[in-house]
C-alpha cells in the first residue's frame, strides 16, 4: 500500500539528511549506530537518498553523534528512572526505540505538526510514546510537559536552524520548567557553520542555517544562570573512531590531539542544570 506523507517544508525536510545518514551507516560493514529502523523507513518510502549526496564520512558522523546523545539520555534515565526525556526537533528519529526508556520515564518527541504526522505514518507507536506537534520557538508547548521531575533533553541536528536568541530562550524556558536535568546537542563551531553553508552535503540546509556557531562551549552558560557545561565531547577522541574506515580513522586520529582542530568537526555539547 502506498504511503502518503504530509508535504514537508524545506526546513522539515532536513530530517531526511539525518535519517538517511543513519540508514547509510546501518548498511556499512561496521555500523557505528546500527539504526535498523532508519534504514527500514528509507526503504519503506523508497526515498531517493542519492539526491542528498551524503558522503559515507557524513553518514558516519551523523550516526556517531546520535550514539553519543543516546548514551547521555540512557545514562540519565538509568540514574533517574522517573524522569522526563525530550527530543527537540526529533524528525523521524526513533531514539526512544534505541534507548528503551524505563517504563517509569516519559519520552517526548517534539517537531512541527507535519513531522509528527509523518512519524505516526512511518514509525511504530512505541517510537513516539508522546509526540508534541509544535514549533519549539513557540513558548506555549512547554506547558504540556510534566512538572516536578528531572529531565534529559537532547537535540540532534536542530540547533543549526535556530538563531542564538531562539536557542537560548528555548533552553531558558526548559530550565525554568524542570527542577534539574541535563541538556545535550550536537554543537557547531563557527567553522562548522561555514562548512555547512559551503559543502555539497550542506546544499539542502545552506539557506536554512541560522545559528552563528560557537567555538567555546562555555559561551552557552550565558543562556541561563543554572546552565553548566558537563563536557565538550570531541568525537575525534571517542572509542568508536577505531571502527571507522581507515582513511576517516586516520583523519580523526590526526585531529584528536588538537581541541581546536577537533572542534571544527563533530562535537556533542553536554550541560546540566
Ligand atoms: C536535521 S533534522 C534532524 C531530525 C532528527 N533530530 C534526526 O536526528 O534525524 C532537523 C529537525 O528539526 C526540526 N525543526 C527545525 N526547526 C524547528 C522548530 N523551530 N520547531 C520544531 N522543530 C524544528 C525539523 O522539522 C527537522 O525535523
Amino acid at each position: 500500500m502506498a504511503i502518503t506523507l504530509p508535504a514537508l517544508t524545506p526546513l522539515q525536510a532536513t530530517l531526511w539528511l539525518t535519517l538517511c545518514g543513519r540508514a547509510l551507516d546501518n548498511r556499512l560493514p561496521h555500523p557505528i549506530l546500527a539504526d535498523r529502523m532508519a534504514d527500514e523507513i528509507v526503504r519503506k518510502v523508497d526515498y531517493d537518498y542519492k539526491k542528498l549526496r551524503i558522503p559515507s564520512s557524513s553518514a558516519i558522523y551523523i550516526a556517531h553523534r546520535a550514539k553519543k546523545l543516546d548514551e547521555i539520555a540512557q545514562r540519565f534515565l538509568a540514574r533517574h528512572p522517573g524522569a522526563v526525556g525530550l527530543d527537540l526537533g526529533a524528525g523521524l528519529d526513533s531514539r526512544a526505540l534505541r534507548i528503551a526508556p524505563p517504563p517509569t520515564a516519559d519520552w517526548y518527541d517534539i517537531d512541527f505538526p507535519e513531522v509528527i504526522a509523518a512519524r505516526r505514518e512511518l514509525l511504530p507507536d512505541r517510537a513516539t510514546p508522546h509526540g508534541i506537534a509544535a514549533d519549539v520557538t513557540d513558548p506555549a508547548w512547554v506547558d504540556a510537559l510534566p512538572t516536578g521531575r528531572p529531565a534529559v533533553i537532547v537535540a540532534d541536528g536542530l540547533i543549526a536552524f535556530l538563531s542564538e536568541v531562539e536557542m537560548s530562550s528555548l533552553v531558558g524556558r526548559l530550565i525554568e520548567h524542570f527542577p534539574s536535568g541535563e541538556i545535550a546537542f550536537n554543537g557547531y563551531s563557527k567553522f562548522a557553520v561555514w562548512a555547512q553553508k559551503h559543502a555539497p552535503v550542506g546544499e539542502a540546509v545552506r539557506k536554512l542555517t541560522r545559528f552563528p556557531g560557537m567555538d567555546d562551549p562555555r559561551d552557552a552558560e550565558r543562556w541561563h544562570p543554572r546552565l553548566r557545561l558537563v563536557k565538550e565531547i570531541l568525537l575525534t577522541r571517542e572509542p568508536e573512531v577505531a571502527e571507522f574506515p581507515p582513511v576517516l580513522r586516520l583523519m580523526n586520529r590526526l585531529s584528536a590531539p588538537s581541541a581546536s582542530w577537533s572542534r571544527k568537526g563533530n562535537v556533542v555539547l553536554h550541560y546540566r542544570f
Side-chain angles (χ1 to χ4, degrees):
M1 201 176 67
I3 297 169
T4 315
L5 291 178
L8 300 180
T9 65
L11 178 56
Q12 294 160 359
T14 59
L15 62 83
W16 293 113
L17 200 57
T18 39
L19 186 81
C20 293
R22 289 189 298 275
L24 293 175
D25 165 71
N26 188 56
R27 296 175 196 179
L28 294 173
H30 299 284
I32 297 302
L33 186 68
D35 186 342
R36 287 185 18 225
M37 183 57 72
D39 203 352
E40 208 176 285
I41 297 171
V42 171
R43 288 183 202 274
K44 191 151 67 174
V45 300
D46 198 18
Y47 189 78
D48 177 18
Y49 61 85
K50 291 201 176 99
K51 71 180 176 194
L52 297 176
R53 292 190 285 159
I54 304 174
S56 63
S57 57
S58 297
I60 289 169
Y61 287 163
I62 287 167
H64 197 193
R65 77 189 197 205
K67 184 168 185 180
K68 295 293 127 181
L69 292 169
D70 285 2
E71 286 171 1
I72 289 168
Q74 221 159 13
R75 281 197 299 260
F76 187 89
L77 293 174
R79 290 199 309 277
H80 306 277
V84 177
L86 307 184
D87 192 343
L88 306 175
L92 290 175
D93 192 6
S94 51
R95 175 161 280 118
L97 288 188
R98 292 196 304 271
I99 67 172
T104 44
D106 279 303
W107 188 265
Y108 288 78
D109 290 300
I110 302 98
D111 209 303
F112 291 111
E114 295 82 352
V115 177
I116 297 297
R119 289 183 72 86
R120 303 239 179 270
E121 259 326 291
L122 293 169
L123 289 163
D125 289 347
R126 63 200 156 83
T128 311
H130 306 283
I132 298 187
D135 178 336
V136 293
T137 62
D138 173 359
W141 70 270
V142 176
D143 297 340
L145 298 170
T147 50
R149 293 157 68 183
V152 61
I153 301 159
V154 296
D156 194 350
L158 169 74
I159 177 172
F161 307 117
L162 302 182
S163 69
E164 191 171 357
V165 170
E166 286 169 341
M167 183 65 185
S168 63
S169 313
L170 171 63
V171 166
R173 273 195 295 278
L174 291 167
I175 293 178
E176 290 297 326
H177 187 87
F178 293 107
S180 61
E182 294 183 5
I183 300 183
F185 49 86
N186 64 306
Y188 295 86
S189 62
K190 290 188 187 341
F191 175 83
V193 169
W194 179 87
Q196 180 145 308
K197 288 182 174 173
H198 292 84
V201 70
E203 209 171 307
V205 294
R206 189 165 299 159
K207 295 198 186 96
L208 301 168
T209 300
R210 297 171 62 224
F211 193 72
M214 190 166 68
D215 288 337
D216 181 350
R218 289 203 185 273
D219 284 353
E221 292 182 346
R222 291 200 303 255
W223 295 349
H224 193 279
R226 278 165 57 207
L227 193 64
R228 286 285 164 271
L229 180 70
V230 174
K231 189 175 178 193
E232 177 190 37
I233 307 172
L234 302 172
L235 273 71
T236 56
R237 299 178 180 176
E238 290 298 296
E240 293 80 10
V241 170
E243 301 295 317
F244 284 7
V247 174
L248 196 61
R249 188 181 350 154
L250 177 66
M251 281 167 54
N252 275 265
R253 295 269 192 251
L254 290 173
S255 303
S258 159
S260 63
W261 202 249
S262 297
R263 242 172 237 139
K264 293 187 193 304
N266 219 8
V267 175
V268 165
L269 302 179
H270 182 188
Y271 300 87
R272 66 179 159 76
F273 60 91

